[in-house]
Amino acid sequence: MKKTIEKIPTWAFGYIFNGDMTGLTDEEVKQIDEALEQIGVDVVCTPADEEAQPYFTRYPLFGLPTEVEDCVILYR
């Protein structure tokens, strides 16, 4: 299994970690699902709370420029 660090939009955390689609459009859910499936993601892990440092980037893993956190991604 491979491991990398990716810029995951904070607006997607509820869906990625809890399956909670509250506040997301069907298009946003589709975008998240397609992005994670395309690169073969098995697990997404956030940094420990004391290490969490959200920041703005123009180049998140998916979507438009937004606030992200660097998350550990485990691939198939």
Side-chain angles (χ1 to χ4, degrees), residues 17-50:
F17 299 116
N18 300 317
D20 182 7
M21 298 187 308
T22 303
L24 298 177
T25 66
D26 291 340
E27 184 61 33
E28 289 169 331
V29 170
K30 181 180 175 185
Q31 183 179 53
I32 295 166
D33 289 341
E34 287 176 351
L36 298 180
E37 179 63 31
Q38 181 180 9
I39 60 175
V41 172
D42 277 334
V43 178
V44 178
C45 301
T46 59
D49 285 341
E50 59 274 358

PDB file of all heavy atoms in Angstrom, residues 17-50:
ATOM      1  N   PHE A  17     -15.225  11.589   5.971  1.00  0.00           N
ATOM      2  CA  PHE A  17     -15.003  10.864   7.219  1.00  0.00           C
ATOM      3  C   PHE A  17     -16.267  10.288   7.848  1.00  0.00           C
ATOM      4  O   PHE A  17     -16.194   9.315   8.595  1.00  0.00           O
ATOM      5  CB  PHE A  17     -14.286  11.765   8.230  1.00  0.00           C
ATOM      6  CG  PHE A  17     -12.935  12.202   7.740  1.00  0.00           C
ATOM      7  CD1 PHE A  17     -12.671  13.534   7.501  1.00  0.00           C
ATOM      8  CD2 PHE A  17     -11.931  11.288   7.489  1.00  0.00           C
ATOM      9  CE1 PHE A  17     -11.438  13.948   7.034  1.00  0.00           C
ATOM     10  CE2 PHE A  17     -10.697  11.677   7.015  1.00  0.00           C
ATOM     11  CZ  PHE A  17     -10.445  13.016   6.787  1.00  0.00           C
ATOM     12  N   ASN A  18     -17.432  10.886   7.567  1.00  0.00           N
ATOM     13  CA  ASN A  18     -18.664  10.437   8.222  1.00  0.00           C
ATOM     14  C   ASN A  18     -19.800  10.117   7.258  1.00  0.00           C
ATOM     15  O   ASN A  18     -20.881   9.742   7.688  1.00  0.00           O
ATOM     16  CB  ASN A  18     -19.162  11.506   9.205  1.00  0.00           C
ATOM     17  CG  ASN A  18     -18.153  11.795  10.280  1.00  0.00           C
ATOM     18  OD1 ASN A  18     -17.553  10.892  10.830  1.00  0.00           O
ATOM     19  ND2 ASN A  18     -17.949  13.068  10.574  1.00  0.00           N
ATOM     20  N   GLY A  19     -19.583  10.324   5.961  1.00  0.00           N
ATOM     21  CA  GLY A  19     -20.640  10.084   4.992  1.00  0.00           C
ATOM     22  C   GLY A  19     -21.765  11.116   5.076  1.00  0.00           C
ATOM     23  O   GLY A  19     -22.856  10.905   4.556  1.00  0.00           O
ATOM     24  N   ASP A  20     -21.513  12.254   5.730  1.00  0.00           N
ATOM     25  CA  ASP A  20     -22.510  13.301   5.928  1.00  0.00           C
ATOM     26  C   ASP A  20     -22.509  14.257   4.743  1.00  0.00           C
ATOM     27  O   ASP A  20     -21.559  15.004   4.537  1.00  0.00           O
ATOM     28  CB  ASP A  20     -22.206  14.054   7.225  1.00  0.00           C
ATOM     29  CG  ASP A  20     -23.217  15.141   7.537  1.00  0.00           C
ATOM     30  OD1 ASP A  20     -24.233  15.241   6.823  1.00  0.00           O
ATOM     31  OD2 ASP A  20     -22.987  15.882   8.503  1.00  0.00           O
ATOM     32  N   MET A  21     -23.570  14.243   3.979  1.00  0.00           N
ATOM     33  CA  MET A  21     -23.673  15.080   2.785  1.00  0.00           C
ATOM     34  C   MET A  21     -24.331  16.427   3.070  1.00  0.00           C
ATOM     35  O   MET A  21     -24.570  17.202   2.146  1.00  0.00           O
ATOM     36  CB  MET A  21     -24.456  14.343   1.694  1.00  0.00           C
ATOM     37  CG  MET A  21     -23.787  13.070   1.252  1.00  0.00           C
ATOM     38  SD  MET A  21     -24.556  12.254  -0.167  1.00  0.00           S
ATOM     39  CE  MET A  21     -26.252  12.131   0.293  1.00  0.00           C
ATOM     40  N   THR A  22     -24.598  16.741   4.338  1.00  0.00           N
ATOM     41  CA  THR A  22     -25.242  17.996   4.711  1.00  0.00           C
ATOM     42  C   THR A  22     -24.450  19.185   4.167  1.00  0.00           C
ATOM     43  O   THR A  22     -23.247  19.289   4.367  1.00  0.00           O
ATOM     44  CB  THR A  22     -25.351  18.119   6.245  1.00  0.00           C
ATOM     45  OG1 THR A  22     -26.053  16.993   6.751  1.00  0.00           O
ATOM     46  CG2 THR A  22     -26.053  19.409   6.644  1.00  0.00           C
ATOM     47  N   GLY A  23     -25.139  20.073   3.444  1.00  0.00           N
ATOM     48  CA  GLY A  23     -24.512  21.265   2.905  1.00  0.00           C
ATOM     49  C   GLY A  23     -23.801  21.069   1.580  1.00  0.00           C
ATOM     50  O   GLY A  23     -23.307  22.030   1.000  1.00  0.00           O
ATOM     51  N   LEU A  24     -23.726  19.838   1.090  1.00  0.00           N
ATOM     52  CA  LEU A  24     -23.064  19.562  -0.186  1.00  0.00           C
ATOM     53  C   LEU A  24     -24.103  19.354  -1.277  1.00  0.00           C
ATOM     54  O   LEU A  24     -25.170  18.789  -1.031  1.00  0.00           O
ATOM     55  CB  LEU A  24     -22.189  18.308  -0.094  1.00  0.00           C
ATOM     56  CG  LEU A  24     -21.035  18.336   0.896  1.00  0.00           C
ATOM     57  CD1 LEU A  24     -20.319  16.983   0.898  1.00  0.00           C
ATOM     58  CD2 LEU A  24     -20.065  19.450   0.571  1.00  0.00           C
ATOM     59  N   THR A  25     -23.775  19.790  -2.463  1.00  0.00           N
ATOM     60  CA  THR A  25     -24.640  19.517  -3.609  1.00  0.00           C
ATOM     61  C   THR A  25     -24.332  18.125  -4.142  1.00  0.00           C
ATOM     62  O   THR A  25     -23.287  17.533  -3.826  1.00  0.00           O
ATOM     63  CB  THR A  25     -24.410  20.547  -4.730  1.00  0.00           C
ATOM     64  OG1 THR A  25     -23.075  20.365  -5.233  1.00  0.00           O
ATOM     65  CG2 THR A  25     -24.605  21.974  -4.241  1.00  0.00           C
ATOM     66  N   ASP A  26     -25.236  17.611  -4.963  1.00  0.00           N
ATOM     67  CA  ASP A  26     -24.993  16.309  -5.594  1.00  0.00           C
ATOM     68  C   ASP A  26     -23.727  16.357  -6.440  1.00  0.00           C
ATOM     69  O   ASP A  26     -22.972  15.382  -6.501  1.00  0.00           O
ATOM     70  CB  ASP A  26     -26.178  15.898  -6.465  1.00  0.00           C
ATOM     71  CG  ASP A  26     -27.420  15.555  -5.650  1.00  0.00           C
ATOM     72  OD1 ASP A  26     -27.284  15.262  -4.441  1.00  0.00           O
ATOM     73  OD2 ASP A  26     -28.525  15.582  -6.229  1.00  0.00           O
ATOM     74  N   GLU A  27     -23.481  17.488  -7.081  1.00  0.00           N
ATOM     75  CA  GLU A  27     -22.284  17.647  -7.916  1.00  0.00           C
ATOM     76  C   GLU A  27     -21.008  17.587  -7.071  1.00  0.00           C
ATOM     77  O   GLU A  27     -20.017  16.988  -7.473  1.00  0.00           O
ATOM     78  CB  GLU A  27     -22.349  18.956  -8.700  1.00  0.00           C
ATOM     79  CG  GLU A  27     -21.191  19.149  -9.651  1.00  0.00           C
ATOM     80  CD  GLU A  27     -21.090  18.076 -10.731  1.00  0.00           C
ATOM     81  OE1 GLU A  27     -22.116  17.552 -11.188  1.00  0.00           O
ATOM     82  OE2 GLU A  27     -19.950  17.755 -11.123  1.00  0.00           O
ATOM     83  N   GLU A  28     -21.023  18.207  -5.890  1.00  0.00           N
ATOM     84  CA  GLU A  28     -19.848  18.173  -5.009  1.00  0.00           C
ATOM     85  C   GLU A  28     -19.572  16.760  -4.513  1.00  0.00           C
ATOM     86  O   GLU A  28     -18.420  16.316  -4.482  1.00  0.00           O
ATOM     87  CB  GLU A  28     -20.050  19.123  -3.828  1.00  0.00           C
ATOM     88  CG  GLU A  28     -19.985  20.575  -4.221  1.00  0.00           C
ATOM     89  CD  GLU A  28     -20.439  21.516  -3.129  1.00  0.00           C
ATOM     90  OE1 GLU A  28     -21.286  21.132  -2.285  1.00  0.00           O
ATOM     91  OE2 GLU A  28     -19.941  22.665  -3.114  1.00  0.00           O
ATOM     92  N   VAL A  29     -20.628  16.030  -4.156  1.00  0.00           N
ATOM     93  CA  VAL A  29     -20.469  14.636  -3.722  1.00  0.00           C
ATOM     94  C   VAL A  29     -19.887  13.803  -4.858  1.00  0.00           C
ATOM     95  O   VAL A  29     -18.954  13.008  -4.653  1.00  0.00           O
ATOM     96  CB  VAL A  29     -21.815  14.051  -3.236  1.00  0.00           C
ATOM     97  CG1 VAL A  29     -21.708  12.553  -3.014  1.00  0.00           C
ATOM     98  CG2 VAL A  29     -22.279  14.760  -1.968  1.00  0.00           C
ATOM     99  N   LYS A  30     -20.401  14.001  -6.055  1.00  0.00           N
ATOM    100  CA  LYS A  30     -19.887  13.276  -7.226  1.00  0.00           C
ATOM    101  C   LYS A  30     -18.414  13.610  -7.456  1.00  0.00           C
ATOM    102  O   LYS A  30     -17.609  12.728  -7.741  1.00  0.00           O
ATOM    103  CB  LYS A  30     -20.720  13.648  -8.459  1.00  0.00           C
ATOM    104  CG  LYS A  30     -20.308  12.950  -9.716  1.00  0.00           C
ATOM    105  CD  LYS A  30     -21.188  13.370 -10.879  1.00  0.00           C
ATOM    106  CE  LYS A  30     -20.674  12.756 -12.176  1.00  0.00           C
ATOM    107  NZ  LYS A  30     -21.436  13.241 -13.330  1.00  0.00           N
ATOM    108  N   GLN A  31     -18.069  14.882  -7.315  1.00  0.00           N
ATOM    109  CA  GLN A  31     -16.681  15.323  -7.507  1.00  0.00           C
ATOM    110  C   GLN A  31     -15.744  14.648  -6.499  1.00  0.00           C
ATOM    111  O   GLN A  31     -14.663  14.173  -6.865  1.00  0.00           O
ATOM    112  CB  GLN A  31     -16.629  16.839  -7.350  1.00  0.00           C
ATOM    113  CG  GLN A  31     -15.280  17.449  -7.591  1.00  0.00           C
ATOM    114  CD  GLN A  31     -15.341  18.959  -7.438  1.00  0.00           C
ATOM    115  OE1 GLN A  31     -15.813  19.452  -6.415  1.00  0.00           O
ATOM    116  NE2 GLN A  31     -14.870  19.665  -8.440  1.00  0.00           N
ATOM    117  N   ILE A  32     -16.156  14.571  -5.248  1.00  0.00           N
ATOM    118  CA  ILE A  32     -15.345  13.922  -4.211  1.00  0.00           C
ATOM    119  C   ILE A  32     -15.182  12.443  -4.543  1.00  0.00           C
ATOM    120  O   ILE A  32     -14.067  11.911  -4.546  1.00  0.00           O
ATOM    121  CB  ILE A  32     -15.987  14.090  -2.821  1.00  0.00           C
ATOM    122  CG1 ILE A  32     -16.004  15.557  -2.411  1.00  0.00           C
ATOM    123  CG2 ILE A  32     -15.246  13.253  -1.777  1.00  0.00           C
ATOM    124  CD1 ILE A  32     -16.918  15.861  -1.224  1.00  0.00           C
ATOM    125  N   ASP A  33     -16.305  11.769  -4.809  1.00  0.00           N
ATOM    126  CA  ASP A  33     -16.264  10.332  -5.106  1.00  0.00           C
ATOM    127  C   ASP A  33     -15.368  10.024  -6.298  1.00  0.00           C
ATOM    128  O   ASP A  33     -14.549   9.099  -6.253  1.00  0.00           O
ATOM    129  CB  ASP A  33     -17.673   9.794  -5.371  1.00  0.00           C
ATOM    130  CG  ASP A  33     -18.531   9.725  -4.122  1.00  0.00           C
ATOM    131  OD1 ASP A  33     -17.985   9.736  -3.003  1.00  0.00           O
ATOM    132  OD2 ASP A  33     -19.774   9.661  -4.272  1.00  0.00           O
ATOM    133  N   GLU A  34     -15.511  10.794  -7.362  1.00  0.00           N
ATOM    134  CA  GLU A  34     -14.719  10.552  -8.568  1.00  0.00           C
ATOM    135  C   GLU A  34     -13.232  10.799  -8.330  1.00  0.00           C
ATOM    136  O   GLU A  34     -12.392  10.041  -8.802  1.00  0.00           O
ATOM    137  CB  GLU A  34     -15.222  11.415  -9.720  1.00  0.00           C
ATOM    138  CG  GLU A  34     -16.545  10.946 -10.280  1.00  0.00           C
ATOM    139  CD  GLU A  34     -17.097  11.848 -11.364  1.00  0.00           C
ATOM    140  OE1 GLU A  34     -16.547  12.955 -11.601  1.00  0.00           O
ATOM    141  OE2 GLU A  34     -18.107  11.449 -11.984  1.00  0.00           O
ATOM    142  N   ALA A  35     -12.910  11.859  -7.600  1.00  0.00           N
ATOM    143  CA  ALA A  35     -11.497  12.168  -7.337  1.00  0.00           C
ATOM    144  C   ALA A  35     -10.835  11.064  -6.522  1.00  0.00           C
ATOM    145  O   ALA A  35      -9.725  10.626  -6.839  1.00  0.00           O
ATOM    146  CB  ALA A  35     -11.375  13.507  -6.610  1.00  0.00           C
ATOM    147  N   LEU A  36     -11.510  10.611  -5.481  1.00  0.00           N
ATOM    148  CA  LEU A  36     -10.927   9.573  -4.626  1.00  0.00           C
ATOM    149  C   LEU A  36     -10.851   8.233  -5.347  1.00  0.00           C
ATOM    150  O   LEU A  36      -9.878   7.489  -5.193  1.00  0.00           O
ATOM    151  CB  LEU A  36     -11.712   9.461  -3.322  1.00  0.00           C
ATOM    152  CG  LEU A  36     -11.710  10.717  -2.437  1.00  0.00           C
ATOM    153  CD1 LEU A  36     -12.520  10.479  -1.164  1.00  0.00           C
ATOM    154  CD2 LEU A  36     -10.309  11.184  -2.115  1.00  0.00           C
ATOM    155  N   GLU A  37     -11.860   7.923  -6.145  1.00  0.00           N
ATOM    156  CA  GLU A  37     -11.855   6.670  -6.904  1.00  0.00           C
ATOM    157  C   GLU A  37     -10.783   6.684  -7.983  1.00  0.00           C
ATOM    158  O   GLU A  37     -10.095   5.684  -8.208  1.00  0.00           O
ATOM    159  CB  GLU A  37     -13.228   6.433  -7.538  1.00  0.00           C
ATOM    160  CG  GLU A  37     -13.314   5.172  -8.361  1.00  0.00           C
ATOM    161  CD  GLU A  37     -13.112   3.897  -7.560  1.00  0.00           C
ATOM    162  OE1 GLU A  37     -13.470   3.868  -6.376  1.00  0.00           O
ATOM    163  OE2 GLU A  37     -12.578   2.923  -8.137  1.00  0.00           O
ATOM    164  N   GLN A  38     -10.623   7.810  -8.651  1.00  0.00           N
ATOM    165  CA  GLN A  38      -9.653   7.921  -9.746  1.00  0.00           C
ATOM    166  C   GLN A  38      -8.228   7.619  -9.281  1.00  0.00           C
ATOM    167  O   GLN A  38      -7.463   6.991 -10.005  1.00  0.00           O
ATOM    168  CB  GLN A  38      -9.711   9.317 -10.355  1.00  0.00           C
ATOM    169  CG  GLN A  38      -8.763   9.510 -11.502  1.00  0.00           C
ATOM    170  CD  GLN A  38      -8.846  10.917 -12.087  1.00  0.00           C
ATOM    171  OE1 GLN A  38      -9.486  11.796 -11.537  1.00  0.00           O
ATOM    172  NE2 GLN A  38      -8.183  11.111 -13.202  1.00  0.00           N
ATOM    173  N   ILE A  39      -7.871   8.068  -8.089  1.00  0.00           N
ATOM    174  CA  ILE A  39      -6.508   7.816  -7.617  1.00  0.00           C
ATOM    175  C   ILE A  39      -6.412   6.579  -6.729  1.00  0.00           C
ATOM    176  O   ILE A  39      -5.341   6.247  -6.253  1.00  0.00           O
ATOM    177  CB  ILE A  39      -5.912   9.053  -6.911  1.00  0.00           C
ATOM    178  CG1 ILE A  39      -6.739   9.457  -5.698  1.00  0.00           C
ATOM    179  CG2 ILE A  39      -5.755  10.201  -7.877  1.00  0.00           C
ATOM    180  CD1 ILE A  39      -6.137  10.587  -4.888  1.00  0.00           C
ATOM    181  N   GLY A  40      -7.541   5.888  -6.507  1.00  0.00           N
ATOM    182  CA  GLY A  40      -7.521   4.625  -5.785  1.00  0.00           C
ATOM    183  C   GLY A  40      -7.332   4.744  -4.282  1.00  0.00           C
ATOM    184  O   GLY A  40      -6.638   3.933  -3.679  1.00  0.00           O
ATOM    185  N   VAL A  41      -7.972   5.718  -3.671  1.00  0.00           N
ATOM    186  CA  VAL A  41      -7.824   5.955  -2.228  1.00  0.00           C
ATOM    187  C   VAL A  41      -8.526   4.865  -1.429  1.00  0.00           C
ATOM    188  O   VAL A  41      -9.677   4.532  -1.682  1.00  0.00           O
ATOM    189  CB  VAL A  41      -8.393   7.332  -1.847  1.00  0.00           C
ATOM    190  CG1 VAL A  41      -8.431   7.513  -0.345  1.00  0.00           C
ATOM    191  CG2 VAL A  41      -7.576   8.426  -2.496  1.00  0.00           C
ATOM    192  N   ASP A  42      -7.826   4.317  -0.434  1.00  0.00           N
ATOM    193  CA  ASP A  42      -8.425   3.390   0.518  1.00  0.00           C
ATOM    194  C   ASP A  42      -8.777   4.111   1.816  1.00  0.00           C
ATOM    195  O   ASP A  42      -9.840   3.897   2.379  1.00  0.00           O
ATOM    196  CB  ASP A  42      -7.465   2.246   0.848  1.00  0.00           C
ATOM    197  CG  ASP A  42      -7.514   1.148  -0.185  1.00  0.00           C
ATOM    198  OD1 ASP A  42      -8.548   0.979  -0.847  1.00  0.00           O
ATOM    199  OD2 ASP A  42      -6.492   0.464  -0.351  1.00  0.00           O
ATOM    200  N   VAL A  43      -7.859   4.952   2.316  1.00  0.00           N
ATOM    201  CA  VAL A  43      -8.043   5.618   3.608  1.00  0.00           C
ATOM    202  C   VAL A  43      -7.538   7.050   3.525  1.00  0.00           C
ATOM    203  O   VAL A  43      -6.491   7.313   2.939  1.00  0.00           O
ATOM    204  CB  VAL A  43      -7.267   4.871   4.725  1.00  0.00           C
ATOM    205  CG1 VAL A  43      -7.410   5.572   6.062  1.00  0.00           C
ATOM    206  CG2 VAL A  43      -7.721   3.424   4.831  1.00  0.00           C
ATOM    207  N   VAL A  44      -8.284   7.971   4.150  1.00  0.00           N
ATOM    208  CA  VAL A  44      -7.862   9.364   4.305  1.00  0.00           C
ATOM    209  C   VAL A  44      -7.764   9.630   5.797  1.00  0.00           C
ATOM    210  O   VAL A  44      -8.708   9.365   6.545  1.00  0.00           O
ATOM    211  CB  VAL A  44      -8.877  10.346   3.678  1.00  0.00           C
ATOM    212  CG1 VAL A  44      -8.440  11.777   3.894  1.00  0.00           C
ATOM    213  CG2 VAL A  44      -9.071  10.051   2.209  1.00  0.00           C
ATOM    214  N   CYS A  45      -6.615  10.137   6.250  1.00  0.00           N
ATOM    215  CA  CYS A  45      -6.400  10.426   7.674  1.00  0.00           C
ATOM    216  C   CYS A  45      -5.997  11.887   7.847  1.00  0.00           C
ATOM    217  O   CYS A  45      -5.088  12.363   7.158  1.00  0.00           O
ATOM    218  CB  CYS A  45      -5.281   9.562   8.249  1.00  0.00           C
ATOM    219  SG  CYS A  45      -5.584   7.807   8.121  1.00  0.00           S
ATOM    220  N   THR A  46      -6.653  12.571   8.777  1.00  0.00           N
ATOM    221  CA  THR A  46      -6.264  13.950   9.075  1.00  0.00           C
ATOM    222  C   THR A  46      -5.100  13.933  10.046  1.00  0.00           C
ATOM    223  O   THR A  46      -4.885  12.953  10.755  1.00  0.00           O
ATOM    224  CB  THR A  46      -7.423  14.735   9.718  1.00  0.00           C
ATOM    225  OG1 THR A  46      -7.816  14.084  10.907  1.00  0.00           O
ATOM    226  CG2 THR A  46      -8.590  14.868   8.771  1.00  0.00           C
ATOM    227  N   PRO A  47      -4.367  15.026  10.113  1.00  0.00           N
ATOM    228  CA  PRO A  47      -3.303  15.119  11.111  1.00  0.00           C
ATOM    229  C   PRO A  47      -3.921  15.210  12.513  1.00  0.00           C
ATOM    230  O   PRO A  47      -5.105  15.521  12.651  1.00  0.00           O
ATOM    231  CB  PRO A  47      -2.562  16.406  10.750  1.00  0.00           C
ATOM    232  CG  PRO A  47      -3.501  17.173   9.896  1.00  0.00           C
ATOM    233  CD  PRO A  47      -4.440  16.205   9.267  1.00  0.00           C
ATOM    234  N   ALA A  48      -3.127  14.945  13.535  1.00  0.00           N
ATOM    235  CA  ALA A  48      -3.599  15.080  14.922  1.00  0.00           C
ATOM    236  C   ALA A  48      -4.074  16.516  15.143  1.00  0.00           C
ATOM    237  O   ALA A  48      -3.578  17.452  14.502  1.00  0.00           O
ATOM    238  CB  ALA A  48      -2.476  14.740  15.883  1.00  0.00           C
ATOM    239  N   ASP A  49      -5.050  16.703  16.030  1.00  0.00           N
ATOM    240  CA  ASP A  49      -5.636  18.034  16.266  1.00  0.00           C
ATOM    241  C   ASP A  49      -4.588  19.106  16.518  1.00  0.00           C
ATOM    242  O   ASP A  49      -4.700  20.208  16.009  1.00  0.00           O
ATOM    243  CB  ASP A  49      -6.614  17.989  17.440  1.00  0.00           C
ATOM    244  CG  ASP A  49      -7.923  17.321  17.073  1.00  0.00           C
ATOM    245  OD1 ASP A  49      -8.222  17.215  15.869  1.00  0.00           O
ATOM    246  OD2 ASP A  49      -8.650  16.920  17.988  1.00  0.00           O
ATOM    247  N   GLU A  50      -3.578  18.792  17.291  1.00  0.00           N
ATOM    248  CA  GLU A  50      -2.560  19.798  17.596  1.00  0.00           C
ATOM    249  C   GLU A  50      -1.673  20.117  16.393  1.00  0.00           C
ATOM    250  O   GLU A  50      -0.997  21.121  16.358  1.00  0.00           O
ATOM    251  CB  GLU A  50      -1.695  19.391  18.793  1.00  0.00           C
ATOM    252  CG  GLU A  50      -0.944  18.090  18.629  1.00  0.00           C
ATOM    253  CD  GLU A  50      -1.737  16.849  19.004  1.00  0.00           C
ATOM    254  OE1 GLU A  50      -2.891  16.970  19.436  1.00  0.00           O
ATOM    255  OE2 GLU A  50      -1.191  15.749  18.842  1.00  0.00           O
TER     256      GLU A  50
END
